[in-house]
Amino acid sequence: MEDGPVNLREFQELAKRNLPKMYYDYFSGGAEDQFTLRENVEAFQRIMLRPRILVDVSKIDMSTTLLGYNMSSPILVAPTGSQQLAHPQGELATARAAAACNAIMVLSFASNYSLEDVASTCNAVRFYQLYVCSGFLNKLFGPLFDTFCLRFHCFITCSFEQFLQVFKRRDVSATLLQRAERNGYKAIVVTVDTPRLGRREADEKNKMIIPRNSNLEGLISVDADLTGGSKLEAYASETLDPSLSWKDIEWLKSITKLPIILKGIITAEDARKAVDAGVSGIVVSNHGGRQLDYTPPTISVLEEVVKAVSGAVPVLLDGGVRRGTDVFKALALGAKAVMIGRPVVYGLAANGEHGVRSVIKMLQNELELTMALAGCPTLRDITRNHVMINHERP
Ligand code: FNR
């Protein structure tokens, strides 16, 4: 792109110029003090590279596989909701751009275009991200059900309440899984760091409006659309199930043939539990610093998780990846691949499908150059010895 952005940070500046403040704040913001948001990026800058010289790098091969699917590089598109706020073509544009770059897109549960629309826009390997949610009984009985629960709350036995909870979320989540399977999605990425929404103060100040979630139409009672007022609380309480626990992973596995990847693990303890639960992959993620503030930057806990998993399943990382050197660093510390969230949305806001394509290509090109300069002709050549960590601030 002539005179266009020369790096991912410049895409962010372009997006800021193109978007209304409310939407830019929604995409760029993090939780509370935004410590984790900043650290995700800055922690990469405390890792140095140890290149090897006099290696034949006349050919660089960035290709790899994930769960048996080929990718031209170890870069995926992370699930980010409400992409129509960035561009009218939203997730459709992102899906086409990802397909053109042979990058796997993880479609967000909170997409504006339905998972069917996205599946039919182009042929490519895609994953679907799920929040285990509720809403069935509310849809049927609406306010009556809420009143009943409020008034008779003290008389409802615990087990009956639990029964309702389970019943509610099983219906909606199972329907979404079936639709994802029917429409050719190849894996389910279950996000597990969001029992409730983190506090994003900019959204509060801006009175951020919750846009339409096409995947939930007819499934939940909250009518959320672009023209409505903010219904964040009601929406979150129907779409996020705070009672989700390890036993539900077993249940999810029992109702889908698709591999399940857990997104949002940042400790060795949980990584081991995930492997024991039989998942097919892990994403080391703190939700791009949008959930629990003061969690460590993902790149600083990657090694801990990789060691705990000891090769049983692929480990991915997201959060703060802005350079090809960042991808290289994550791979050196044991990631199978990385996902990018905000840069894709900024590309979308900057120039629709072309913008997203430029963002992914730019990162792929940067990785290729990094591999050449570091003396690593293939991804297998990237080792722990190629990086030097200084997580402490100077
Ligand atoms: C997200 N993320 C996210 N994650 C998820 O599992 N489901 C979702 O619907 C969303 N939605 C969403 C919206 C926006 C605007 C952002 C910025 C992020 C988190 C996302 O998948 C990923 O973890 C982070 O974005 C990675 O960090 P970077 O690349 O944005 O720094």
Side-chain angles (χ1 to χ4, degrees), residues 110-127:
S111 59
N112 296 138
Y113 285 96
S114 70
L115 63 90
E116 288 82 4
D117 289 343
V118 174
S120 59
T121 195
C122 64
N123 228 346
V125 174
R126 260 184 299 272
F127 298 168

Side-chain angles (χ1 to χ4, degrees), residues 26-27 78-81 108 110 129 131 191 263 285 287-288 290 318-322 339-343:
Y26 165 72
F27 289 130
T80 53
S108 166
Q129 178 260 323
Y131 285 124
T191 300
K263 171 175 180 282
S285 174
H287 217 107
R290 294 164 77 82
D318 74 21
V321 175
R322 300 293 180 267
M339 306 205 299
I340 47 170
R342 291 182 184 83

Side-chain angles (χ1 to χ4, degrees), residues 111-220:
S111 59
N112 296 138
Y113 285 96
S114 70
L115 63 90
E116 288 82 4
D117 289 343
V118 174
S120 59
T121 195
C122 64
N123 228 346
V125 174
R126 260 184 299 272
F127 298 168
Y128 179 67
Q129 178 260 323
L130 180 78
Y131 285 124
V132 176
C133 61
S134 53
F136 175 68
L137 288 178
N138 289 40
K139 187 194 154 212
L140 277 187
F141 304 114
L144 250 183
F145 176 67
D146 292 339
T147 314
F148 173 81
C149 284
L150 273 179
R151 189 161 304 168
F152 299 106
H153 184 265
C154 47
F155 301 119
I156 298 174
T157 66
C158 196
S159 57
F160 182 56
E161 262 192 287
Q162 277 167 356
F163 166 77
L164 291 182
Q165 277 297 326
V166 168
F167 192 43
K168 281 161 67 179
R169 73 169 177 268
R170 286 191 172 191
D171 178 69
V172 176
S173 305
T175 303
L176 289 168
L177 286 193
Q178 283 158 10
R179 285 168 55 192
E181 265 183 46
R182 260 203 318 274
N183 285 278
Y185 289 76
K186 302 297 185 200
I188 301 297
V189 177
V190 182
T191 300
V192 290
D193 58 14
T194 312
R196 292 166 56 172
L197 267 196
R199 259 195 82 212
R200 300 152 199 173
E201 293 172 4
D203 291 346
E204 269 176 42
K205 276 200 183 139
N206 292 332
K207 303 201 185 334
M208 176 64 192
I209 290 164
I210 290 299
R212 172 174 158 189
N213 177 346
S214 294
N215 293 319
L216 291 182
E217 261 160 33
L219 289 178
I220 68 166

Side-chain angles (χ1 to χ4, degrees), residues 49 64 98 101 108 139 166-167 221 232 253 265 312 336 343 364 375:
L49 299 178
T64 186
C101 301
S108 166
K139 187 194 154 212
V166 168
F167 192 43
S221 63
L232 195 64
K253 278 183 59 200
I265 286 182
K336 175 77 175 164
Q364 288 177 334

